[in-house]
Amino acid sequence: MKTFALIGAAGFIAPRHLKAIKETGNRLVTAFDKFDSVGVMDSFFPEADFFTEFERFDRHVDKKRREGDPIQYVSICSPNYLHDAHIRFGLRSGADVICEKPLVLNPWNIDGLAEMEKETGKRVHNILQLRLHPSIVALKNRIANSPADKVYDVDLAYITSRGKWYNISWKGDTTKSGGVATNIGVHFFDMLTWIFGKVKKNVVHVREENTAAGFLELERANVRWFLSTEYESLPEAVKLAGKRTYRSLQMEGEEIEFSDGFTDLHTRSYEHILSGSGFGLLEAYPSIEIVHYIRNAKLSAKTSDYHPLVKSTLSHLDLLNE
């Protein structure tokens, strides 16, 4: 049984980590969040210590280490811009680290963490759960077994509509979240490069507060992508069905179904990590490079390689005429 600390216990994704720690037969010893709405912990680890001040949490973790009962893993569910600092805290505390996506906001942050791994002898693991999704694994195997010179046409769309709270929270602040492409898209970009290879060309067509779109030329795929948190971006059929989320991956016109099975992937990820097969810093690098470029690149003209949803949902913003 391994001992865990959790940073960001009040966050949206924290219950999946609590569940994963529990289901893998391990124990949460202590948790931190500056917000105290963490009653969900009662369903998993009611005996865990909890702190709302990081200084007291730091002291508690350090005390356990000095008493010969160190935390073995620190799981991080905090806002994106704090991941780098919290990972460093975990490594300095003598623990391995499990961090939500995006691992960090900038590629050079990964270089710094690699130095800390060498100094501490501990490892950083990124939650890249789509690499464990059965449909995505099957697609990767399918591409690997296809003719090596075949280049596929791929369309990716992910719309997860959010209320007005979203832009008021840290998620609406690009300096803290990295922007919509980073916050909701980084694991899709990881999936695409994992399956179709390295980036040859990265084009950004739209970069609005709640919507981003562009084109990726990969070694084995030409990818048109569209990401949004705007309800109005949803296809009409999805709205009529009363749904607020739309996820679509099409390859050569064929829909690759991977909507189901997301809720169990964190437990699978923990199993993977605890068995010694987690996804580390090198695996995180390509997707972090992609989203960093998207955040800073000059917008390109909307030519024939833009995603169909750009035209159908953003014409009311007059973005096609920019």
Side-chain angles (χ1 to χ4, degrees), residues 245-264:
T245 298
Y246 173 70
R247 186 185 291 110
S248 175
L249 177 64
Q250 292 187 4
M251 185 177 73
E252 306 284 304
E254 172 194 352
E255 188 72 33
I256 307 298
E257 179 55 51
F258 68 111
S259 296
D260 297 327
F262 272 78
T263 56
D264 297 325

Side-chain angles (χ1 to χ4, degrees), residues 188-199:
F188 292 110
F189 293 124
D190 173 75
M191 171 194 73
L192 290 168
T193 54
W194 185 58
I195 295 173
F196 297 107
K198 295 179 182 177
V199 176

Side-chain angles (χ1 to χ4, degrees), residues 154-157 181 189 192 201-207 211-217 222-227 290 293-294 298-310 314:
V154 175
D155 283 347
L156 170 73
F189 293 124
L192 290 168
K201 185 178 181 182
N202 189 346
V203 176
V204 184
H205 294 128
V206 177
R207 187 177 57 239
T211 302
F215 171 81
L216 279 175
E217 181 184 349
N222 294 315
V223 182
R224 301 184 298 182
W225 58 269
F226 182 93
L227 301 165
I290 289 172
Y293 182 87
I294 290 170
K298 181 180 179 180
L299 294 181
S300 298
K302 297 166 186 66
T303 56
S304 58
D305 57 4
Y306 62 77
H307 194 282
L309 284 174
V310 172
L314 297 184

Side-chain angles (χ1 to χ4, degrees), residues 38-46:
V38 293
V40 66
M41 289 175 58
D42 288 348
S43 299
F44 299 97
F45 300 101

Side-chain angles (χ1 to χ4, degrees), residues 16-72:
R16 296 189 190 179
H17 286 260
L18 291 167
K19 181 172 179 279
I21 295 169
K22 187 81 169 181
E23 291 185 343
T24 52
N26 297 294
R27 183 166 62 100
L28 181 71
V29 174
T30 185
F32 161 77
D33 203 297
K34 67 177 184 177
F35 300 108
D36 58 9
S37 298
V38 293
V40 66
M41 289 175 58
D42 288 348
S43 299
F44 299 97
F45 300 101
E47 73 284 355
D49 292 309
F50 175 69
F51 299 89
T52 58
E53 298 172 23
F54 192 82
E55 294 81 1
R56 295 183 65 200
F57 172 72
D58 181 3
R59 183 176 63 189
H60 179 73
V61 171
D62 184 60
K63 181 181 178 182
K64 291 186 70 65
R65 180 179 64 83
R66 293 177 184 279
E67 291 176 347
D69 184 25
I71 301 295
Q72 293 168 288

Side-chain angles (χ1 to χ4, degrees), residues 279-321:
F279 303 119
L281 298 178
L282 286 179
E283 284 89 351
Y285 216 104
S287 59
I288 299 302
E289 283 189 315
I290 289 172
V291 294
H292 177 264
Y293 182 87
I294 290 170
R295 194 182 313 132
N296 295 284
K298 181 180 179 180
L299 294 181
S300 298
K302 297 166 186 66
T303 56
S304 58
D305 57 4
Y306 62 77
H307 194 282
L309 284 174
V310 172
K311 183 175 183 179
S312 63
T313 67
L314 297 184
S315 57
H316 66 287
L317 296 178
D318 205 30
L319 292 174
L320 290 176
N321 297 322

